[in-house]
Amino acid sequence: MGQEKLAKEIVELVGGEKNVESLVHCATRLRFVLKDDAKADKAKLEKTEGIIAVKENGGQFQVVVGNKVPEVYSAIGQISNILDDSSDKEKPRKAAKGLGGIIDIISSIFAPLLGVMAGAGILKGLLLIASNIGWLETTETTYTILYAAADSLFYFLPLLLAVTTARKFQGNMFVAMTIAGALIYPSIVALKSEGTPTDFFGIPVILMNYSSTVIPIILAVIVMSKLEKFFNKTLHDSVKNFVTPLFLLVIMVPLTLLVFGPFGVYVGNGIAAGLVAAFGFSPLLAGAVMGASWQLLVIFGIHWGLIPVFINNVAVYGQDGVKPAATASIFAQTGAAFGVMLKTKNKKLKTLAGSSTLTALFGITEPAIYGVTLPLKRPFIAGVIGGAVGGAIIGQAGTLAFASGAPGLLTLPIFYGPGGQGFPGLILGIVVSFVVSAVLTYIMGFKDPVEEETKSESTTSAQQSVRATNASDENVFSPIEGTIVELSEVPDPAFASGAMGKGIAIEPTVGRVVAPFDGTVTVAFKKKHALAVVSDTGAEILVHVGVDTVKLDGQHFVSHIKEGDRVQAGDLLLEFNIAQIKAAGYHTVTPIIVTNSANYEEVIPQATGQVSSQELLLKLSSGNVQEQK
């Protein structure tokens, strides 16, 4: 079965196959573009075994599954038509705009290539080491064969990018590859290398070396896909299958050589020159900034804007001086996770931190960041500081990357160039970043999660006594007047799925929330949209007015309580304006959740249809079962 079960659960929880517009994957994440993000059950996905985290960045719905992502991706392809380019893509959603749209485009184009890029990069790095120390001569045929295996991806990069770009923009990938092939066709390459004056019907052509380039083919395929849609709508069905490709080739190959090619090369070189200038001005400062910020950029998905620059530098210049400093950030978060493993007394966290440290050493940092350092906050900050220190060392050392690949232990050879210059600085930088982060994490500390058994032991004596006896049922009276709604019908998966606890919902007709029993206010949200009350006998009730109303930032709500207040059944807790909330575009249906419903044998609704304030709403049946401690 492999990863088939997990694949089925993921497809179901992102809203089903029909809700998926496209899917690609990178080293650790499944990157979905969904037609309707609201149909995805993020809460359930995050609780699904095998899923590390769920993120929404750059117009993508990202499911982090770690280094097993290729197997899960493949399993999704086997159980669905999501990966079938010919599958029906009805009602595609609008593309993200601005920075989010740019990040979505770049990640969709480059993510499918990262795995093979890493493999080819490692091989290229090993060949550099072997030739530098005399194990292999560059004139040997063995070296020639292995170098062809390592370098072919980069030499023919326009062809591969033509495929991924065509997939992203739903263009004909075979026409796109043909256009890319024309850019590196031998006779075109010969015109450039021989310096032959070239024109197209009298229009001068500025020839460039397009092997290994990034931007020209991406621009060309984007325009090609737009033209293709136009021709397919304009031409008759009987001829469009062969006339459209004819028109695209005749138009796009000259247009790319005349416009997109030179423009793309100049832009790529200009960006690269700017970053190189920053490192030239102050390599120590530039390295520190890169080392400190790289994992922050990864979290928000902004790092995709720099990846094409790294690739372009290696492809065009044979080396890149910006990427090495980012390596410090990887090892810094690894060190922070290691520090957590040493410090924590929580067995589950210790195991998680240990396994995350191991995977992070090989460049897969998501388990360490999302599972360990970021939730604990201080370890993540320690990692940022360690990354800055290590990045400064690497930047000052002038370390260069000579091939592409995700930074990690296995890819260290890509930073070993002629004579090993800068490589010792890299090793020193990543060691320092690891040690500084680990030590700072240990010294700064963090709020260590308490073991489950310890939590139960720390329960107050009054609660222990109540839960141990539980001789009678608990009655919950309606805090709102309105119409009963099944919890499963609430348009919020976190409530509808029961993940927050059992309960019921009410569509209010009066904008007032009163106390459902005698007890204490335990939570009074600053945004005023929700509150929680615990009864004198231990029942914990959450009242959440509306769906996504936290976004109103307290508008249309008036709170009459603060945390710690004692309340009597029927006391006014909160007022809200139903009409204004609806006018702002939000549902007012209000879930009433028993957040500790696991402590009760049954949560039984007592009302249907219309319900009045203070009418019996729920009966919590303890079954006289003693809670396990």
Side-chain angles (χ1 to χ4, degrees):
M1 293 290 288
Q3 301 295 336
E4 186 175 325
K5 181 180 178 183
L6 179 58
K8 286 181 179 178
E9 291 180 357
I10 290 173
V11 171
E12 178 182 347
L13 294 176
V14 298
E17 183 177 337
K18 291 184 178 180
N19 194 40
V20 178
E21 184 176 341
S22 65
L23 170 63
V24 296
H25 75 85
C26 57
T28 58
R29 308 182 189 197
L30 295 166
R31 296 174 174 270
F32 289 92
V33 174
L34 303 180
K35 295 173 183 175
D36 185 357
D37 287 346
K39 292 182 179 180
D41 193 337
K42 185 176 179 181
K44 271 193 176 181
L45 276 166
E46 290 176 327
K47 294 180 179 180
T48 301
E49 184 178 354
I51 293 176
I52 298 168
V54 179
K55 301 292 173 184
E56 295 180 71
N57 285 323
Q60 295 181 333
F61 191 87
Q62 304 173 11
V63 182
V64 184
V65 296
N67 52 13
K68 61 187 175 185
V69 67
E71 290 83 0
V72 179
Y73 179 83
S74 176
I76 289 176
Q78 293 174 8
I79 65 167
S80 71
N81 293 318
I82 290 174
L83 305 185
D84 183 1
D85 288 312
S86 64
S87 61
D88 189 18
K89 304 290 185 183
E90 57 186 45
K91 294 183 181 179
R93 76 175 202 175
K94 292 182 179 179
K97 297 181 179 180
L99 179 60
I102 294 172
I103 291 170
D104 173 37
I105 291 171
I106 295 174
S107 60
S108 298
I109 290 171
F110 285 95
L113 303 179
L114 293 185
V116 66
M117 276 187 178
I122 294 170
L123 178 56
K124 206 169 185 180
L126 291 173
L127 287 173
L128 285 170
I129 294 174
S131 62
N132 285 334
I133 63 178
W135 287 357
L136 272 178
E137 294 294 333
T138 56
T139 55
E140 294 182 49
T141 53
T142 299
Y143 179 92
T144 301
I145 292 171
L146 290 176
Y147 191 82
D151 193 55
S152 63
L153 177 143
F154 302 101
Y155 185 87
F156 295 107
L157 188 58
L159 288 167
L160 300 177
L161 292 176
V163 173
T164 56
T165 307
R167 285 192 61 176
K168 173 61 181 175
F169 289 91
Q170 298 180 357
N172 186 316
M173 66 178 64
F174 299 106
V175 175
M177 290 178 67
T178 304
I179 294 170
L183 299 182
I184 55 177
Y185 194 72
S187 61
I188 299 295
V189 173
L191 289 175
K192 165 63 178 174
S193 59
E194 295 169 4
T196 305
T198 306
D199 67 84
F200 182 73
F201 288 116
I203 303 172
V205 177
I206 302 174
L207 290 174
M208 300 283 183
N209 182 10
Y210 293 110
S211 63
S212 305
T213 54
V214 172
I215 299 177
I217 190 60
I218 292 176
L219 294 175
V221 174
I222 291 174
V223 174
M224 181 214 82
S225 67
K226 305 297 182 184
L227 283 176
E228 181 183 359
K229 292 179 176 62
F230 169 76
F231 287 132
N232 282 339
K233 287 181 180 179
T234 305
L235 296 172
H236 193 273
D237 289 345
S238 62
V239 298
K240 69 179 181 182
N241 285 341
F242 52 88
V243 174
T244 293
L246 169 65
F247 284 172
L248 292 177
L249 292 175
V250 170
I251 294 171
M252 289 309 306
V253 172
L255 189 60
T256 303
L257 291 171
L258 287 165
V259 180
F260 301 131
F263 175 79
V265 170
Y266 288 141
V267 169
N269 293 348
I271 295 173
L275 290 172
V276 170
F279 273 81
F281 174 75
S282 176
L284 187 143
L285 179 60
V289 171
M290 181 63 74
S293 63
W294 182 252
Q295 287 301 326
L296 289 169
L297 298 179
V298 170
I299 289 172
F300 291 104
I302 303 173
H303 69 299
W304 284 105
L306 291 175
I307 286 177
V309 177
F310 299 160
I311 295 172
N312 187 74
N313 284 349
V314 172
V316 176
Y317 303 112
Q319 61 190 36
D320 172 60
V322 182
K323 180 179 181 176
T327 308
S329 184
I330 304 292
F331 285 89
Q333 290 299 326
T334 307
F338 183 70
V340 171
M341 185 190 75
L342 296 178
K343 182 84 171 179
T344 183
K345 292 181 173 58
N346 184 298
K347 294 178 181 177
K348 184 177 180 180
L349 179 58
K350 188 179 287 289
T351 301
L352 175 60
S355 61
S356 298
T357 298
L358 183 62
T359 57
L361 283 171
F362 295 96
I364 308 301
T365 56
E366 273 87 348
I369 293 175
Y370 295 125
V372 182
T373 65
L374 196 57
L376 296 175
K377 297 182 178 66
R378 289 182 183 175
F380 185 81
I381 294 171
V384 171
I385 296 171
V389 176
I393 294 172
I394 294 171
Q396 189 63 38
T399 306
L400 298 172
F402 297 91
S404 297
L409 282 181
L410 288 178
T411 55
L412 291 182
I414 71 175
F415 302 102
Y416 190 95
Q421 183 179 359
F423 191 71
L426 175 81
I427 300 301
L428 177 62
I430 62 177
V431 170
V432 169
S433 64
F434 182 95
V435 173
V436 168
S437 300
V439 171
L440 281 178
T441 297
Y442 199 90
I443 294 173
M444 293 167 60
F446 47 86
K447 188 176 181 181
D448 202 7
V450 182
E451 298 280 6
E452 290 300 322
E453 57 268 25
T454 306
K455 283 184 181 178
S456 63
E457 290 170 6
S458 66
T459 308
T460 63
S461 58
Q463 288 175 319
Q464 288 176 337
S465 174
V466 168
R467 293 178 183 178
T469 55
N470 263 338
S472 61
D473 294 339
E474 179 82 51
N475 291 329
V476 178
F477 297 94
S478 179
I480 292 179
E481 181 176 333
T483 305
I484 296 293
V485 176
E486 290 291 333
L487 196 61
S488 60
E489 296 177 10
V490 174
D492 185 329
F495 295 112
S497 65
M500 300 288 290
K502 297 178 182 178
I504 203 164
I506 297 175
E507 182 62 58
T509 54
V510 178
R512 289 165 49 91
V513 178
V514 300
F517 39 51
D518 297 348
T520 303
V521 177
T522 55
V523 178
F525 286 89
K526 292 181 180 179
K527 308 291 187 181
K528 306 175 187 177
H529 66 295
L531 56 90
V533 184
V534 61
S535 75
D536 293 337
T537 53
E540 299 170 2
I541 299 296
L542 170 68
V543 180
H544 192 289
V545 179
V547 176
D548 284 337
T549 46
V550 64
K551 297 177 182 177
L552 290 171
D553 201 26
Q555 294 183 69
H556 318 314
F557 292 92
V558 177
S559 177
H560 297 282
I561 53 167
K562 62 181 182 299
E563 291 180 5
D565 282 354
R566 283 283 305 162
V567 294
Q568 302 294 318
D571 285 353
L572 179 62
L573 308 181
L574 179 68
E575 291 180 289
F576 56 96
N577 191 307
I578 298 173
Q580 290 180 346
I581 292 173
K582 288 184 176 180
Y586 295 90
H587 292 283
T588 55
V589 62
T590 300
I592 299 159
I593 306 296
V594 184
T595 54
N596 65 337
S597 53
N599 292 350
Y600 297 93
E601 190 174 77
E602 290 184 282
V603 176
I604 309 168
Q606 298 295 303
T608 57
Q610 295 296 313
V611 62
S612 301
S613 175
Q614 286 297 283
E615 182 179 338
L616 183 60
L617 183 68
L618 298 170
K619 185 178 286 290
L620 313 184
S621 174
S622 65
N624 295 321
V625 177
Q626 182 173 340
E627 182 184 340
Q628 297 296 317
K629 296 194 275 286

